[in-house]
Amino acid sequence: MWGRQKGLQAEDAQFSLEGEPFRILGGSLHYFRVPLQYWRDRMLKMKACGLNTLTTYVAWNLHEPQRGKFDFIGNLELGTFLDIAAEVGLWVILRPGPYICAEWDLGGLPSWLLQDKDMQLRTTYRGFAQATEAYFDELIPRVVKHQYSKGGPIIAVQVENEYGSYAKDANYMEFIKTALVRRGIAELLLTSDNKDGISSGSMEGVLATINFQKIEPILFSYLESIQGNKPVMVMEYWTGWFDHWGGDHHVFDVDQMVSTVSEVVAKGASINLYMFHGGTNFGFMSGALHFHEYRSDVTSYDYDAPLTEAGDYTSKYFKLRELFTKQHVLPLPPVPALLPKAAYGAVELKRCLSLWDVLELTGEPFRSELPVNMENLPVNEGNGQSYGYTLYETVIYGGGKFQTKGNVRDRAQVFVSSQPVGFVDYKNQELNVPEVPGYRKLRILVENCGRVNYGNRINEQRKGLVGDVFLRDVALRNFKIYSLDMNSTFINSLNTVHWSELNEETMGPVFYQGALHVGFSPQDTYLTMKGWKKGVVFVNSRNLGRYWEIGPQETLYLPGPWLWPGTNEITIFEEQEAGSSVYSVDTTYLGRTQYVD
């Protein structure tokens, strides 16, 4: 606390800290995308690159997975993350939301909010406002003690995130600001918007900052026209871009990046690199975009950032270090050594188990005359199902044209008994059920591929069957509904049932299990899923994320701290058809590249 009298100020054209001129050289690092064992490593690499500030979002949907039940342990120990930042010597800009975008499922908002059919997210609608207040009651007291004025590293706090691009409620931003201040947030407040949103996203008494990848001469003068003689801060300078399934791996030219960062620095502005280290969308947490078409994000959040998904250096890192060295009087710390990667060879696949043989593990199915969407299923102690798959079963007579009329969210495989008939999604909304006289079981296995995290569709992000589906133009009725969120409890429970020996003829949806043998000191590795169709990989019951043959991503990052010395259990849920093998390799392959224009 000694010497802490005056925190970050934005009273004229330059920031000041303790009355001295201060420039923010920041980088984004999300604790929830990086194994906690690597937090310090990534921060030391930030420090060695010449950064003085770390920015992080806070993911509400991870911290409150059930209404009123909070989780701040393990990889969600935000306080520990902030403590490590302070020890490493980084200031922190905290971006607590409640909405964060971040290419994260529903922009970080918990899916149980959507149980209310009238929910209006990111507004002062009573249901959303009350939930936000309850969340802030739990979150903010945990971070208040980490503020600069209390001896901690937090020098600024962001009010919501890019609200100008949404702007549905003129009272909302004031509500969020008041909610923060009333709970003890005392540091500098700021907003963050792109050029189109800045006029409607900024507010009186809060510093406006801007987000972009390509600098335009008008941007800074536009910012000045809005708030006069205030410090210019680029809250998100996009160092790369994210990828979606079926697209290419985006790469942003290193020289273009350095040129723009140099120009920002030359203007005397502050900057935050989004992302400095992207990390991984482990589990089912990747988001989606839906403008002209629905596109879900891949598991990797490498982002073509200065540090790779596994924390390795890129040419961007070293060129930035060279640039930022000039902003420091003292020499930068030495660059930390890289963490070794290992290739552990083939996963020894041993046995398999049909999805149809494990439905009993989900408990008694919910019976409903009408289809019920995932979020409104009576599971998870009344909080509905958040992620994964939902199976809808009904009895049909004969065959004919099956139609979804857009009510499958997001993708479904259709079966008659256990025989696959085909897939339906946003584009393909019809398929033909073979005509056979008699009664049969129709099964619709629906996958939530990720809720939209940006744009005007966030209130529409209910998953599963969100309305009627039809056979021969008649709405189907009387469903048995199985919730398959595939959490660690469920994956562990698979070991309580009888598995079959591997059979080359086995077709999905099937669980496969095998062993990955690792030495005494486990190291980071990657699993290559080449030859497999689509599914999810679990290592020692941890969900690594999705794979899909349409790419671009072909390897899944497997952090060393998640491996045990000796034998590790690999469980694969394959929707269609297994590949011949799975290998642990020491290099990543994120797919065919496309340069960002």
Side-chain angles (χ1 to χ4, degrees), residues 289-334:
L289 288 180
H290 194 164
F291 293 110
H292 302 301
E293 61 178 326
Y294 172 86
R295 300 193 301 192
S296 57
D297 298 335
V298 303
T299 300
S300 170
Y301 199 60
D302 177 89
Y303 208 85
D304 193 38
L307 290 180
T308 69
E309 179 177 15
D312 294 339
Y313 302 115
T314 67
S315 57
K316 287 182 179 178
Y317 180 93
F318 291 109
K319 292 205 173 187
L320 286 168
R321 177 177 156 89
E322 187 181 335
L323 172 63
F324 290 150
T325 296
K326 300 165 189 168
Q327 303 300 317
H328 294 268
V329 176
L330 299 174
L332 295 180

Side-chain angles (χ1 to χ4, degrees), residues 229-334:
N229 191 35
K230 295 287 184 185
V232 173
M233 168 83 187
V234 182
M235 177 53 78
E236 291 186 14
Y237 170 69
W238 303 318
T239 60
W241 204 244
F242 55 92
D243 300 337
H244 64 268
W245 290 115
D248 295 329
H249 172 51
H250 291 94
V251 173
F252 184 59
D253 183 74
V254 59
D255 293 324
Q256 270 190 275
M257 183 205 73
V258 171
S259 172
T260 302
V261 175
S262 299
E263 193 175 342
V264 171
V265 171
K267 289 180 181 294
S270 287
I271 190 168
N272 175 61
L273 305 168
Y274 187 100
M275 297 291 296
F276 186 79
H277 170 50
T280 310
N281 299 314
F282 293 115
F284 294 121
M285 300 312 299
S286 52
L289 288 180
H290 194 164
F291 293 110
H292 302 301
E293 61 178 326
Y294 172 86
R295 300 193 301 192
S296 57
D297 298 335
V298 303
T299 300
S300 170
Y301 199 60
D302 177 89
Y303 208 85
D304 193 38
L307 290 180
T308 69
E309 179 177 15
D312 294 339
Y313 302 115
T314 67
S315 57
K316 287 182 179 178
Y317 180 93
F318 291 109
K319 292 205 173 187
L320 286 168
R321 177 177 156 89
E322 187 181 335
L323 172 63
F324 290 150
T325 296
K326 300 165 189 168
Q327 303 300 317
H328 294 268
V329 176
L330 299 174
L332 295 180

Side-chain angles (χ1 to χ4, degrees), residues 70-90:
F70 295 92
D71 186 356
F72 285 89
I73 61 173
N75 231 93
L76 300 179
E77 287 182 24
L78 179 56
T80 302
F81 182 80
L82 296 171
D83 285 339
I84 295 172
E87 290 165 16
V88 168
L90 291 168

Side-chain angles (χ1 to χ4, degrees), residues 216-235:
E216 298 174 39
I218 195 173
L219 285 177
F220 290 170
S221 55
Y222 180 51
L223 200 55
E224 188 177 345
S225 73
I226 285 175
Q227 60 187 7
N229 191 35
K230 295 287 184 185
V232 173
M233 168 83 187
V234 182
M235 177 53 78

Side-chain angles (χ1 to χ4, degrees), residues 175-231:
F175 160 66
I176 297 297
K177 174 189 172 185
T178 302
L180 294 169
V181 172
R182 192 156 46 82
R183 288 168 176 82
I185 294 297
E187 306 304 331
L188 180 72
L189 296 177
L190 38 81
T191 59
S192 164
D193 286 284
N194 60 28
K195 65 174 182 180
D196 298 325
I198 202 162
S199 59
S200 48
S202 54
M203 57 192 304
E204 191 69 34
V206 177
L207 183 72
T209 68
I210 195 158
N211 306 336
F212 61 76
Q213 187 164 63
K214 302 279 179 65
I215 197 165
E216 298 174 39
I218 195 173
L219 285 177
F220 290 170
S221 55
Y222 180 51
L223 200 55
E224 188 177 345
S225 73
I226 285 175
Q227 60 187 7
N229 191 35
K230 295 287 184 185

Side-chain angles (χ1 to χ4, degrees), residues 111-112 115 373-380 383-392 446 448 451 463 481-486:
S111 65
W112 46 257
Q115 291 183 315
N373 62 288
M374 182 182 278
E375 295 78 5
N376 285 100
L377 291 174
V379 296
N380 193 23
N383 289 273
Q385 183 182 343
S386 295
Y387 312 108
Y389 299 77
T390 308
L391 177 68
Y392 298 81
V446 188
N448 166 5
R451 295 183 183 85
K463 300 296 185 178
I481 307 175
Y482 298 85
S483 173
L484 293 157
D485 58 6
M486 299 203 184

Side-chain angles (χ1 to χ4, degrees), residues 366-406:
F366 173 59
R367 296 170 187 269
S368 172
E369 182 184 0
L370 302 174
V372 177
N373 62 288
M374 182 182 278
E375 295 78 5
N376 285 100
L377 291 174
V379 296
N380 193 23
E381 297 184 30
N383 289 273
Q385 183 182 343
S386 295
Y387 312 108
Y389 299 77
T390 308
L391 177 68
Y392 298 81
E393 283 187 357
T394 187
V395 174
I396 61 169
Y397 185 87
K401 187 179 287 184
F402 173 78
Q403 298 170 300
T404 68
K405 300 195 177 177

